[in-house]
Amino acid sequence: MTLIPLLKDMEKHMSFKYKNIVADAGYESEENYVFIEHNNQAGYIKPQNYELSKTRNYKKDISRRENMDYDPQTDSYTCKNRKKLSAVATRTERTATGYLRKVTIYECKNCRNCPYKKSCIKGNNCKTPFKDRKKRLYVSRKMEEKKAECLERILSDFGTQLRLNRSIQAEGSFANVKEDMNFRRYLYRGKENVLAQSTLLAIGFDINKLHHKIMTGRTGTHLFELKKAS
Ligand code: SF4
């Protein structure tokens, strides 16, 4: 919920618009993807399940739609038991900011006597007896589409370079300010005073950074290069 107001605010105060928006996994949402695209920018946001999706447990989890085959022609998934999960309904969800998200519900017609049922259907709060339960998936097709496009971007060389620079430049700045500049707490109270102290801190940080760039001959460059494997 904070990314879109930040981007709007930046546009209001800056004379140019950044082409690429790099953010960590906490900022992944359909609303953010769609806003960035409509704003003629390219999103480089790591999917929330990116690290988890590389684990063996995740890949073995047959209950996840990511581990089922999806056929766009028939708009259906095929499960571990080779049964089809077809679209049976759609519903529209409204986010806290008013964004409308269309969710498709996929259902397997026959899960009875399936040998994989216990691993596939989870959740103990359902009132339907387990033997009668059918596997359902709730999927936003738009989110799937935007996530796939974004994943392709972040896995490209340029995307990898942007992500590397995000961790160095954004996360590293906090470490520099707290450890190297020993900034641990604000000296004054009130929004205006905190803003004034933050601005002075940012100016000091930028002067240090510029000095370091001059000393290392990196002026005019904005991104650290990816290290090439030798
Ligand atoms: S429980 Fe249903 S969806 Fe899951 S593997 Fe068995 S038949 Fe397929």
Side-chain angles (χ1 to χ4, degrees), residues 79-81 83 85 108 110-111 114 116-117 120-121 135:
C79 70
K80 169 89 174 166
N81 201 23
K83 300 267 194 252
L85 284 86
C108 179
N110 185 9
C111 294
C114 169
Y116 307 108
K117 196 166 180 177
C120 183
I121 299 182
K135 177 72 175 174

Side-chain angles (χ1 to χ4, degrees), residues 1-11 20-37 39 41-46 97 166:
M1 273 169 66
T2 53
L3 183 66
I4 296 173
L6 174 75
L7 294 176
K8 285 182 177 169
D9 204 45
M10 282 168 72
E11 260 179 57
N20 304 310
I21 305 301
V22 193
D24 74 13
Y27 293 93
E28 192 204 24
S29 73
E30 181 180 321
E31 191 174 356
N32 285 347
Y33 280 143
V34 169
F35 177 87
I36 290 169
E37 185 178 302
N39 213 25
Q41 293 169 307
Y44 290 80
I45 306 175
K46 198 154 83 168
T97 56
R166 192 204 68 79

Side-chain angles (χ1 to χ4, degrees), residues 49 175 208 220:
N49 65 351
N208 265 342

